Amino acid sequence: MPSTDDTAARRDPSRRPGVLQVGPLKPSLAETLRTEYDARRLPEDAGERERFLGAEAADVTVVVTSGRTGVDAALMAALPRLGAVINFGVGYDTTDVDAAAERGVQVSNTPDVLTDCVADTAVGLMIDTLRGFSAADRYLRDGRWPVDGNYPLTRQVSNTRVGILGMGRIGSAIAKRLSAFGCTISYHNRNRVEGSPYTYAASPVELAGAVDVLVVAAAGGSGTRQLVGRDVLDALGADGYLINIARGSVVNEDALVEALTQGHLAGAGLDVFTDEPHVPEALIALENVVLLPHVGSGTVETRAAMEALTLRNLEAFLADGTLVTPVPMPVPAAG
């Protein structure tokens, strides 16, 4: 745990703490950090990073990063006065929150502001996956319509049975949208959602076995790693579809590739992957898979709102050591 003197120093409003950017960020956000907060950027080259930390680490009290990069335990240990990790994005599974809790480091994210766009993406991805619109577009552009005839029939979206894995803000927004399509909604969550009009399933396997489409909207992190494994995909079955707009880590990607290539799953729509930006070649080769480069929140309006909330968190921490949207932190184990 940091000493009392360290805590007091990083919350002293008379001393402007050092801001460090870790990983790439939205260009306008990175520019604001550089020009208005005199932020430094952690080098990506290992040797340069080691030299930078040797010279600058003691001055850093707050890191601004993204859910794609995060701050691991080793970097936290190298920043002795670190007081907060501010995430541009709702996901923070790349930041070691256990290590942060042990060191007394706060963590924030940008919830709510991206809910609508990610939910829109989930619905659009589901429609494209079941109806095959992207594949049909390729069929037309390749000149196959006049030669091979009409495009093969696809699956209806309206009135399907949809399971949502993770009924938080985004899961609830997805359910609301799909209810308007006449879909029957079921869900699995760590706990039942009080007052929810949707059917609760006791496990991911039970949920998958009762639906036509499984939409993954669970938070990332160690608690949900490979929550969708072979057992869940088997339960979803050869006529089922998987849609993932959450985190690649929530799905066993090897099992998913196997299910798709062997015909044990009808199709998948994926906005996230295990090792981004790298996508398995086996997925790229499949016509029954729709692949997006993690664009769930990628609209001008949402990214501007995320940037504004990121800066509000930073400014609050610099002012009085608090965060506007702190994430729940685990209780450190008793020593």
Side-chain angles (χ1 to χ4, degrees):
M1 293 287 289
S3 69
T4 302
D5 289 344
D6 283 341
T7 302
R10 69 169 178 258
R11 293 187 178 181
D12 180 359
S14 68
R15 185 183 188 283
R16 196 167 185 83
V19 179
L20 178 65
Q21 176 184 336
V22 175
L25 292 171
K26 185 170 180 277
S28 57
L29 174 57
E31 181 65 11
T32 298
L33 293 176
R34 185 184 68 82
T35 58
E36 297 188 20
Y37 297 91
D38 196 27
R40 289 147 290 180
R41 180 167 178 176
L42 185 68
E44 295 185 7
D45 177 78
E48 291 181 14
R49 175 179 291 208
E50 185 176 352
R51 288 189 290 274
F52 174 90
L53 290 173
E56 307 282 351
D59 294 330
V60 174
T61 59
V62 56
V63 164
V64 182
T65 186
S66 72
R68 297 189 187 185
T69 306
V71 178
D72 60 20
L75 181 54
M76 286 184 204
L79 302 172
R81 296 183 59 246
L82 182 64
V85 175
I86 295 175
N87 274 294
F88 174 81
V90 69
Y92 53 90
D93 51 298
T94 51
T95 290
D96 192 327
V97 292
D98 292 318
E102 290 180 4
R103 301 183 64 84
V105 175
Q106 302 177 77
V107 180
S108 73
N109 66 344
T110 57
D112 295 323
V113 294
L114 48 66
T115 297
D116 282 336
C117 279
V118 176
D120 291 349
T121 299
V123 174
L125 196 50
M126 176 177 160
I127 293 171
D128 195 353
T129 302
L130 270 66
R131 293 299 311 276
F133 289 150
S134 290
D137 175 83
R138 293 191 294 272
Y139 185 88
L140 182 150
R141 291 175 187 273
D142 289 343
R144 295 181 60 188
W145 192 9
V147 176
D148 297 332
N150 290 339
Y151 188 76
L153 299 180
T154 57
R155 289 284 294 276
Q156 178 175 316
V157 173
S158 299
N159 306 311
T160 53
R161 300 173 302 164
V162 179
I164 298 177
L165 187 58
M167 191 59 82
R169 296 180 181 93
I170 293 173
S172 297
I174 294 169
K176 180 179 179 181
R177 285 159 171 74
L178 291 177
S179 293
F181 282 76
C183 296
T184 301
I185 308 294
S186 305
Y187 74 98
H188 172 74
N189 219 41
R190 187 171 301 173
N191 300 298
R192 288 178 183 266
V193 178
E194 186 175 351
S196 172
Y198 311 117
T199 302
Y200 178 75
S203 70
V205 171
E206 179 181 314
L207 178 65
V211 299
D212 306 305
V213 183
L214 181 64
V215 180
V216 182
S222 58
T224 60
R225 191 169 303 280
Q226 298 197 356
L227 185 62
V228 177
R230 283 184 171 82
D231 54 348
V232 175
L233 297 174
D234 287 344
L236 192 54
D239 293 327
Y241 294 83
L242 180 79
I243 307 297
N244 188 7
I245 47 78
R247 280 290 184 265
S249 61
V250 182
V251 176
N252 182 329
E253 195 166 80
D254 291 338
L256 176 60
V257 170
E258 181 180 307
L260 288 164
T261 55
Q262 295 184 5
H264 298 159
L265 199 65
L270 309 171
D271 185 44
V272 290
F273 305 89
T274 298
D275 184 26
E276 296 179 3
H278 307 291
V279 178
E281 288 294 331
L283 289 177
I284 294 174
L286 293 172
E287 281 293 300
N288 61 336
V289 179
V290 180
L291 306 172
L292 301 179
H294 202 148
V295 296
S297 63
T299 65
V300 172
E301 296 85 355
T302 290
R303 292 293 169 86
M306 290 167 61
E307 179 176 348
L309 184 51
T310 299
L311 292 172
R312 284 174 58 204
N313 273 296
L314 176 59
E315 196 57 41
F317 180 78
L318 296 181
D320 59 17
T322 64
L323 294 171
V324 178
T325 52
V327 304
M329 299 295 287
V331 178

